[in-house]
Each structure stands twice: as structure tokens, then as C-alpha cells.
Amino acid sequence: MRCDEEEQQLRAAALQNVQSILQARQRAEQELIGIKEALEEERRILELLNQTGAVLASKLDLQAVVQTVTDAGTKMSGAQFGAFFYNVSTESGNVFTLFTLSGAPREAFEKLGHPRATPVFAPTFKGEGTIRSGDITKDPRYGKMEPHRGMPAGHLPVRSYLAVPVIARSGEVMGGLFFGHPNTDVFSVRAERLIEGIASQAAIAIDNARLYEQARQAAEERARLLVAERRARQESERVSLMKDEFLATLSHELRTPLNAVLGWSNILLSKTPGDSDGYRGLSAIARNARAQAKLIDDLLDMNSIVSGKIRLDVHLLDLPLILDAAIDAVRPSADAKSIVIRAILDPNAGPVFGDRNRIQQVVWNLLSNSVKFTPKNGKIDVVLRRVNSHVEICVHDTGVGISTDFLPHVFERFRQADSSTTRKHGGLGLGLSIVKQLIELHGGTVRVESAGEGQGTTFVLLLPLRPILSRASAPSENVNGPSNKLPEPYVSLDGIMVLVVDDEPDARDLVAAVLSQAKATVITASSAEEALALVKSCRPAVIVSDIGMPERDGYDFMRDVRSLPGADGGRTPAIALTAFARSEDRTRAMLSGYQVHVAKPIEPDELVATVKSQCGAGM
Amino acid sequence: MIPTEPIGSIPRPSQLIDAVTKTRGDIDDPALAPLFVDAIRDTLARFEATGSPVLTDGEQRKYHNFWDYCVHGLPNVRADGFKIPFAAGHVRRMPRLVEGPFRYKRRADRYLEEAQRHTKMPIKQAVISPSALSLLYPAEGIPGYSRDAFIDDLLTEHVREVRACLKQGAHAVQIDFTEARLAVKLDPTGTLLASFIDLNNIALAKFSSEERMRIGVHTCPGGDRDSTHSADIDYGALLPSLFQLNVTNYYIALAGEKDRRRVLEIIRAHLRPGQRIFVGVIAPIDPHLETPEEVRDRILEAANYIPRSQLATTDDCGFSPFSDDASTTRETAFAKITARVRGTALADEILGAD
């Protein structure tokens, strides 16, 4: 019985717990539901954060970035509406504020001013930290009166308020995220942390979007400049090509009449008594024609040098010989002014490698210059000597000298000390510039010295010494090249049939006259077609042909000749006689089948000698 | 290997029992300290000698028993609570809460920590269930401290204790739910048992599934002085509800049952995947010392009902749940444990690898 009583008491006590346990269970279940809901909310937030992070990491469009941030922030915070006010800089450096909205129509804010001025909003735009308020209307900063009023009239009702500044890594405040809800105590500490996280992400994303925009603009600018530069280059190339073509044409057109003038004046001179007025007149004509030809050569040379098309025919040079030849060339004009040219030439100054013709051209240029600017009875000294590892060529005159101001410009193109229309001395102002370019092409230098006007001038050329080579290994055994041989004083073309081809009657007759004078048998043709027939029918020993002809030019003609069998004259030696005097014209002539290229205007002796040299040189 | 674990208590050395009696239950008396240490060290050493892969400290420090160790000595607890009548005629009186709030005086992780100082072997720690402690609250109530508040505090304390044991590195934490059968005995309608299950499940829900892999419940008829308080209660009224507990491991007394097959049939009918059944193969209150072969045969019998992968072995109950119970000697207890370990190994040889 006693046990039963104990059991009864125990049962009663135990059963009293049942209800409490049941309630505990219900509480636990509620708690579990709460935990599950919190987990679900956490999952949702995480998903939203992931999505937002992915969008922010992938979007480079500023508008898309700020809208994503605003939407995500509004959802995460539980706000009824959210706004993102952000600053935008224009290219001109002006800054203005734009805004995106979430949870409220744009019209709800369109009429309101930007929230910059009020004490509630200002701290956010100044980057002074987060403001979270359970009831912003009770915040002392909210204010009730102008100008410290809280929300502007017409603003959506806000009690719960959350504002987070968006600050770049540089510290720049990019804008602010604002969230509102008409109920109180909506935003939790957790929401505040989440929004601060979003704001950090937003700052980075906006930074990236801005950088991308800058890079995009820079890339566009680069592309635009590239196109402009390409166009400019193409235009420059086109102009350069046009200029080359123009110069070639100009040269051709100028040389063609000169050819006739020079040729005929020479022929007439040989038949005119030397003391007659006619002789002097013809001499003047010939001299001036040569001077004009020189000007044309200078122009072409300058063009070739500037466009990088000049090529040096390099050999071991006999400088005393070259200098003597140059002095001989100017001696007549020096003698005319009673100018004494004195040459002090060290025969052992070399060795120097270079282009004989070009070096001779340089020295002749300097000497011509000196003769030109030295008054009567003056003196010119030409000195060749070795100075250390260089060979020095000095041309010193007692001429007008050069002013100190003009000295630095002496070697510039188209520059002359006196460029007025009343100047005493003519010329294009190219000679010294060509000297400088040619000497530099040889690896040398040129300088000018003058104590001033009336004090004379000294030009100093320095050419690098070449190492002395043994005879067996020297690159060229022929000093100054094959052209060094002086032409025979008189050459006879007796018994040699020469075919002369030129569409210009004057030029054709001139060449025929020159060759005839040397006793050649001359046949002529005015076109390629006619000439080809003569080659086949008459079998001339040598062909002298112009290049610039209508329909089939000299190149076509020579290709036709070379396509003939040897028995029909296909191997007849041929000389191109042309006003196309550029180096590329010469190359082209050789390629089409000519053996020799002679530029107009021609020197009769040179033409005769050339024909002679080709005679019997059948291919 | 078939897992095998003890339940917990081992009879205390007689000198310890005598010394504690002299202090009138003042277990914090410094004079007792070396005796406790000796008892724990000796218990763990003997446990290791049995070959048992998992040890306990024999609950040498639990005073006065497996039920009230955590509240013994609290100022707001009186020793005049309800009485549990045992079949042998003796009665054990439980403590009574007289004032809130309810807090444990000590937690079992202290025992675990001390035991770990004496062995590197895996140690299992038993704790009392919240449902058992719920009986501390008196029927008449406590002014100013509601029953609801007490239940909340109780759950908090229990969860804290289990979590501390897990954190301390317990191989397993066993919740002693011996009052399950008592609940059925007190209330045959099952309401009380369902309420107990609810209460324990509320606590278990606080743990992760990984943590629950190391948590189990123990149910038995409540052994004390070779007697029980509810052996007459049929498992059929208990086990279906017991399997509703949200744990992995079940330590179920079976060796002392009169009709083991019927119990095994009930287990088979309610067993769910992922649960592990530690069947009792040793009856502590039976003076007969089981042989390894007897143990083996009991396991083979259970294997007919429980899948090999869910089968494990244990003792029906602790050998001395009450600290002053000297009805079984320490030697007998370890001999029985040795038989369990060897018998399990024999069965394992026959049943083969998992």
C-alpha cells in the first residue's frame, strides 16, 4: 500500500509536468520555425548578395551598376523604397548628381530638390558614416523648420531611415544610398551592415565602370588619331609621289629643249671662228645651258637625297686627281675674275672610299660657290691633308664672307644670305645643302667658318679614313672606277652604223649630227615600231634611243628588240638617251635591255665615246 | 568488429564508500580526494585489462547516484523528494527543488576530464536525462518560479552538459533514460512517456546530426541492489516510443529480460536505418557470471533480428548506479565485462566482417 501511495504521488507530480513540457515543445517548435525562417531569410540575402556581387563584377555600365545596387539595397534592408544619389563628372570637369530609385516611381522624386543641403542628408554626402534611425522624425538633425526641415513637402513618408555613404578607395565620396520606410524601427543592425557591404561593393563597381569608360574613351581617341595619322601618311605619300613624278616630268621637259640648245651650240661653236661675236654668243648660250642643266641636276639630287633614293657608287678614291678635276672645271670662271686658285694637296692623305662623281660634285660646288662670292683678284686655297683619322678638304676664299647670324643656316635648303629680288647672286640655294647631305652619306662632316662679312669663308670637309687594305683584298682595284679613264681626244665612228630613235625631230637630228660628225653611218626612226623594223632590216651596230615616246616608249622598244633572235638584231648593243635622269630611271633602262644609260643634255664627245665603247660589244 | 561499450557505473571500492559515509555525503571533503583518484585510476586500469575498446570511469565520483549527481549539494534542493519503490522492497528518495532558478551544481564533463588524465583510451560519459530531472519540481509548485521556467532552465542545463562532454572529447555521450519504463509503470496510458520523449527530443534538437552520431540513450528497468523498479513493464509499451528519440545509439537492456525474442521482435519492427542498437548481453544484477560463449550466443540470437551493421553490445545496466550499492563486487563487474568483450569477439568471428 505504501508503495502504491508513493507511486500515486510520483504519478501526480510527473503528470503535472506534461503540460509544461508540451508548452516547452511548442516554444521549441516556434523557435525552430523562427530559425528556419531566419535561415531562409539568410539564404535569400546570401543569394541576393551573390547575385548583386556577380552583377556588379560583370557590369561596366554605370547606370546598370547603380540600379543594381539600389534594387539590392532596398530588398536587403526591407525598405519600402530606396534611392542612390551619385556624382557624375563630365569631360569638362563639371560634377552633377544623378539618382536611381527602387520601390517608388520616379515621379515621386522628380519634383523634389536633391537632398544635399539639409542636416539629415549632408553627413552622408560628406562621407561621415552611416545614419540609421528607428524614427528619423525624432532625430534632432531632422528639424521642423526651414531651412532645417526634415523631408521636403511631398516627400514619401519616412520614419525608419538608413543612409550609407558610398566612398571610393581613393576616399572620394561618390554618393549615398538612402532607404526609407513609413513604419518605425524597420532597419536592423544587420541591415545596416549589409547595406554598408553593398556600398563598398558599389564603390568598387562604380570605380571600375568609370575606369572602363575612361579606357573606352581613350581607346576611341587612339583609334581616331590612328585613322587621322594613317590618312595624313597616305596623303603625304601621295603628295610625295606626285612631287617625284612632277620633278621627273619637269626635269624631262626642261632637259629636252636644253639638249637641242647645248648640242647645236657645241656643233656651231666647232664651226665658228673663235674671235667672232657669233662664237662668244654661242659660248654664252652653251655656258648658260650647262648652268641650267646644273640647276636641274641639283633639284633632282636634292629630291633623291631627301627621299633616300640616292645610291653611292663606292670605290677607292684618288682625291688629288678628283680635286684637280674640280679645280680645272671652275678655272675658266675663276680666271675670268682673276681669282687665283692655289692647291695644296697631300698625295698621301688617303685612303678614302667614296663615290668619285659625288665627291667631285661636292668640291666643284664649294669651288663654284667660292668663285661666285669672291670678288675680282681674290684668292682661293684648296687644301687636302690628313687630320687624325680623317681626311680634311679645305676650301678657303677671300670672298664676301658670311655674317654670324646666317652661319647656322648655310647648309639649309633654299636658304641664301641675300634672298631679296635685287640680290647679286643667283641660284636655288640648294648647292651647300646637297654638299652637306652627300658628305654625310659618306660618313663625313662639313662645316663652315667665317670671321664675318668681308672676311672670307672657309669650308671644311672631313671624310673618314678607310683602313688600308692589301691590294689582293681591296674591294676595288680600279681607282675611281672604270669611268676614271679620260675620253680619247678624238674618236672616229667610221664604218659604224648607228640607229637613232627619238620622236622629237630636234633631238633626233642633233644626235644624228653629232654621230655623223664622228663619221658614223646614221639611220633614224621616229617611233619604236619604225625602229624595230630598221633593226631587223638594216642590222645597225649600235642603237641610241630616247625613252619618252608616245605609244610604245623606249623601254617597250628595247624589250621588243631583245625578244628578236640574235640573227635579227636581238643582241644589238643599245644606249638609252633620255631626260629621265633619276637613278630609278637608269635602273629601269638597264632592266629593259639597254647596256648604257646617258642622261640628256648630252655632251657630244661623251655620246661618241659611249657609242664607240658599245660598238662590237654585242651581247 | 562489433562495437561494444559499457553502460557506466562500477561498484566503488569499499574504503571509498566508508569514507564518503563518514563525511555524510560531503563529497568535496579534501580527505576524500585521494580516495576518489585511486578509485578512478584503479577502475580505468581494470577496465583496460578487460580488453574493452571503450572505457568509463565507473562513475566513481557520481554521488549519490546516476540521477542526482548534478544537483547534489545545491542550496535550493532538499532530500525529501518523491520516492522510487523497488521490487525488492527498498525505496530510493529523490531530491526536491524548493526554489528557483534551477542550475546544475556540477556537470559530467568534469568526470570525463579527470578520467582522461589516466588513460588514452576512448571514454564514454553518461549523463542524466532532462526527463528524469523534471521530477525534481514538486507537485505543489514553487512560488515565484513557474514550472514552465523550470523546464526551460532544465533544458538549458542539460544541453550545456552534453555539449561540454562532446567538446571534452567523449567517445560517446549516453543519456540515462531509465525512467522510461518507470513512466509507463506510473502512467500506463503512455501520456507521461510521450511527454518524457518530447522533453528529451527538445533537448536533442539543439544538436547537429554529426553531434547526434555520438549521442545515445539508455533504458533499463532501473537496477539497484540486484533489484529493479520497473522490470514488470513490458518493452512492447516502451520501445515504439523510445525509437522516436532523435538519437543514433540505443543502449537497451536485454540479457535480464524473460522473453528476449519478443523484445528483439519489437526492436526489429521499429528499428530505423541509421540507428545502432547496443543490446544488453550481461545482466549486472544476475549473480551468475556469464561465459563468453553465453554472451556469443545472445549476440547471435540478436543478429537474427538486427542487421549486422546496426548491431552492437553492452551491459543491461550500470553495475552500481547508486554510489553505496555494494551488492556486486568490483571483481564480478569486471569479470562480467570481460565476458562481454570476449563473447562479442567470438560472435564477431562467426558473423564475419561488416
Side-chain angles (χ1 to χ4, degrees), chain A residues 283-556:
Chain A
S283 294
I285 290 168
R287 192 169 60 250
N288 281 292
R290 285 195 190 94
Q292 197 166 352
K294 172 68 174 55
L295 293 178
I296 296 165
D297 285 345
D298 278 1
L299 268 176
L300 280 178
D301 275 353
M302 198 66 229
N303 188 53
S304 299
I305 290 167
V306 169
S307 57
K309 287 173 184 167
I310 197 162
R311 285 186 186 167
L312 298 179
D313 187 13
V314 176
H315 295 277
L316 187 61
L317 300 179
D318 183 343
L319 284 173
L321 193 65
I322 291 169
L323 265 60
D324 277 340
I327 292 167
D328 285 346
V330 297
R331 198 174 294 281
S333 48
D335 289 348
K337 291 172 76 175
S338 301
I339 295 171
V340 177
I341 301 178
R342 196 169 48 169
I344 306 160
L345 309 178
D346 178 358
N348 298 315
V352 168
F353 278 104
D355 186 316
R356 172 189 177 275
N357 292 327
R358 293 299 182 183
I359 295 296
Q360 188 168 326
Q361 181 187 355
V362 162
V363 177
W364 183 87
N365 252 323
L366 295 178
L367 283 170
S368 299
N369 216 50
S370 288
V371 171
K372 189 166 152 187
F373 291 103
T374 301
K376 283 183 178 176
N377 303 315
K379 287 180 184 173
I380 298 174
D381 286 340
V382 179
V383 179
L384 170 67
R385 58 175 181 166
R386 181 183 293 186
V387 177
N388 297 324
S389 59
H390 288 79
V391 168
E392 183 184 273
I393 300 169
C394 278
V395 177
H396 171 73
D397 63 51
T398 57
V400 298
I402 301 170
S403 72
T404 312
D405 292 345
F406 189 68
L407 268 180
H409 306 294
V410 164
F411 296 106
E412 289 179 13
R413 279 188 287 164
F414 309 113
R415 288 295 289 268
Q416 288 181 314
D418 179 5
S419 57
S420 68
T421 53
T422 57
R423 61 187 180 159
K424 295 175 191 165
H425 309 286
L428 295 175
L430 283 176
L432 291 177
S433 179
I434 291 170
V435 164
K436 182 170 187 284
Q437 300 288 345
L438 286 175
I439 289 301
E440 286 178 354
L441 278 174
H442 280 81
T445 58
V446 57
R447 68 174 191 272
V448 61
E449 297 165 359
S450 176
E453 291 181 26
Q455 302 292 310
T457 305
T458 303
F459 284 94
V460 181
L461 301 179
L462 285 175
L463 288 168
L465 271 175
R466 292 295 180 185
I468 296 171
L469 301 173
S470 69
R471 225 163 176 33
S473 62
S476 172
E477 298 298 328
N478 299 328
V479 174
N480 295 339
S483 60
N484 192 41
K485 290 176 183 169
L486 295 174
E488 294 293 326
Y490 176 76
V491 177
S492 172
L493 299 177
D494 192 12
I496 296 169
M497 182 188 284
V498 182
L499 169 61
V500 176
V501 189
D502 200 320
D503 61 314
E504 286 280 336
D506 286 352
R508 190 170 64 236
D509 291 349
L510 170 66
V511 173
V514 167
L515 295 175
S516 295
Q517 201 170 30
K519 297 187 169 56
T521 305
V522 180
I523 53 174
T524 61
S526 60
S527 71
E529 190 182 3
E530 189 186 342
L532 191 63
L534 287 174
V535 169
K536 286 191 274 191
S537 60
C538 301
R539 298 296 311 283
V542 179
I543 300 168
V544 178
S545 175
D546 183 31
I547 293 294
M549 295 186 291
E551 297 181 7
R552 295 183 71 73
D553 62 16
Y555 303 126
D556 297 332

